Amino acid sequence: MNNSPVNPFLLNGRRVLVTGASSGIGRGIAILLSQLGASVVCSGRNEERLQETFDNLEGSGHAFSRFNLIDIDEIRPWMSEISKQHGKLWGIVHAAGIQQTLPAGMINREKFEQVVTLNAEAAFFLAKTMLSPSVRDEHGGSIVFISSVMSIVSQAAISTYSLSKAALSGLAKSLAIEFAPKKIRVNCVSPAYVRTPLLDDMTKKWDKNQFEDLIKRHPLGLGEIQDVAYSTAFLLSEAARWITGTNLIVDGGYTAI
Ligand SMILES: NC(=O)c1ccc[n+]([C@@H]2O[C@H](COP(=O)([O-])OP(=O)(O)OC[C@H]3O[C@@H](n4cnc5c(N)ncnc54)[C@H](OP(=O)(O)O)[C@@H]3O)[C@@H](O)[C@H]2O)c1
């Protein structure tokens, strides 16, 4: 062990952009990263909820920036502006995402693109922008895409969601190889069902039995936001310095059944 930090899980001196930081998992990740010493740039579309996340961050050097990730062509100028205003980025967590429950027969091109653009295409362009020396911290970096167990198993009527999340695993693998010479690691975290506003929205029309059945499909019960945040912080940190191109399944045993 040489030159290793005393606690390799700490993120002191790292500036990390967290998308989806205005709610649920992204918010939980932003707060945990701040507790581990990172400077966090929180992003989402809703200013009020972003402010709420910002107010809950610990330490200093944080910022928030409202941005609609559907504006793919604006991602690069937006990230350049963040770097100019707040300093270069060391990491990205892409937690922004939407779910769509629709039978394939009802999905037109617009509906397809709503999901795939935000969940997968934006991930590519966020990561690609880290190649720019004016955006990226010269000491390397770490990128984590929040995927889903629906990237490896699935169910009816979530084809666009499954497709977009499976795309992230392939993307992480290829970028992991391509970005390794720049000392940038790229990984995915794939949770099963976690208690968040997205889950509330998805299950609002379910009856009690359906919900109980969902819980039974997780041997360790439904996930909490911290469960995903801990795994993400680990993959970002020096403790994971030899891990790249992987898809970490965080599912309470969902895929073991
Ligand atoms: N909850 C689960 O059970 C679960 C399981 C597996 C994977 N995941 C994944 O975890 C991630 C977070 O999910 P969550 O449950 O925390 O969802 P959530 O509470 O609904 O949060 C979604 C986030 O995405 C942001 N967002 C949505 N559309 C956007 C856009 N066009 N541009 C920029 N930001 C946008 C939202 O911000 P604004 O509203 O401010 O725009 C919000 O911060 C998603 O990628 C999801 O697929 C969730």
Side-chain angles (χ1 to χ4, degrees):
M1 301 276 280
N2 50 4
N3 284 337
S4 296
V6 177
N7 183 342
F9 297 93
L10 291 179
L11 293 166
N12 295 317
R14 310 300 200 194
R15 181 169 291 98
V16 182
L17 170 65
V18 180
T19 73
S22 55
S23 178
I25 290 173
R27 172 178 282 170
I29 290 170
I31 293 170
L32 179 66
L33 299 187
S34 74
Q35 291 165 344
L36 291 169
S39 302
V40 183
V41 182
C42 300
S43 126
R45 293 166 304 175
N46 184 302
E47 186 147 7
E48 210 175 300
R49 284 191 277 107
L50 273 178
Q51 178 75 54
E52 229 174 274
T53 305
F54 182 79
D55 291 343
N56 280 288
L57 300 179
E58 285 184 22
S60 56
H62 311 300
F64 67 86
S65 176
R66 231 163 51 83
F67 186 71
N68 189 343
L69 285 161
I70 296 295
D71 297 336
I72 296 291
D73 291 338
E74 294 303 315
I75 288 179
R76 190 189 169 100
W78 170 63
M79 285 174 68
S80 296
E81 194 51 39
I82 288 175
S83 303
K84 231 185 268 164
Q85 274 190 27
H86 307 292
K88 290 185 182 178
L89 295 169
W90 176 85
I92 300 178
V93 178
H94 181 45
I98 47 170
Q99 216 272 2
Q100 184 176 68
T101 306
L102 268 185
M106 292 178 66
I107 297 171
N108 57 23
R109 194 154 176 200
E110 191 190 342
K111 291 209 180 315
F112 179 93
E113 282 174 359
Q114 269 168 8
V115 178
V116 176
T117 304
L118 175 65
N119 293 5
E121 192 178 355
F124 173 80
F125 285 98
L126 286 161
K128 180 190 165 187
T129 306
M130 284 294 268
L131 288 177
S132 162
S134 65
V135 170
R136 175 185 90 236
D137 187 314
E138 71 208 63
H139 303 297
S142 181
I143 298 172
V144 177
F145 301 134
I146 306 301
S147 179
S148 163
V149 288
M150 298 308 160
S151 63
I152 50 168
V153 294
S154 199
Q155 55 202 41
I158 59 160
S159 55
T160 51
Y161 186 71
S162 268
L163 175 155
S164 67
K165 294 301 188 179
L168 292 177
S169 329
L171 177 61
K173 279 188 208 300
S174 179
L175 294 185
I177 301 163
E178 194 173 329
F179 289 10
K182 297 193 166 24
K183 302 267 177 275
I184 301 175
R185 297 180 295 104
V186 189
N187 292 291
C188 292
V189 169
S190 283
Y193 290 89
V194 178
R195 293 176 201 271
T196 68
L198 184 142
L199 184 70
D200 295 342
D201 191 46
M202 212 184 88
T203 56
K204 66 185 172 205
K205 291 188 188 135
W206 290 14
D207 62 32
K208 198 166 161 266
N209 289 344
Q210 271 177 297
F211 201 71
E212 275 169 12
D213 185 50
L214 177 74
I215 296 173
K216 275 195 214 130
R217 278 160 41 207
H218 299 73
L220 292 178
L222 285 185
E224 300 292 341
I225 287 169
Q226 297 95 296
D227 298 317
V228 184
Y230 292 148
S231 309
T232 305
F234 163 67
L235 283 176
L236 282 175
S237 76
E238 188 67 7
R241 65 184 188 179
W242 206 46
I243 301 178
T244 196
T246 200
N247 184 11
L248 179 56
I249 311 296
V250 183
D251 70 351
Y254 186 94
T255 54
I257 293 177

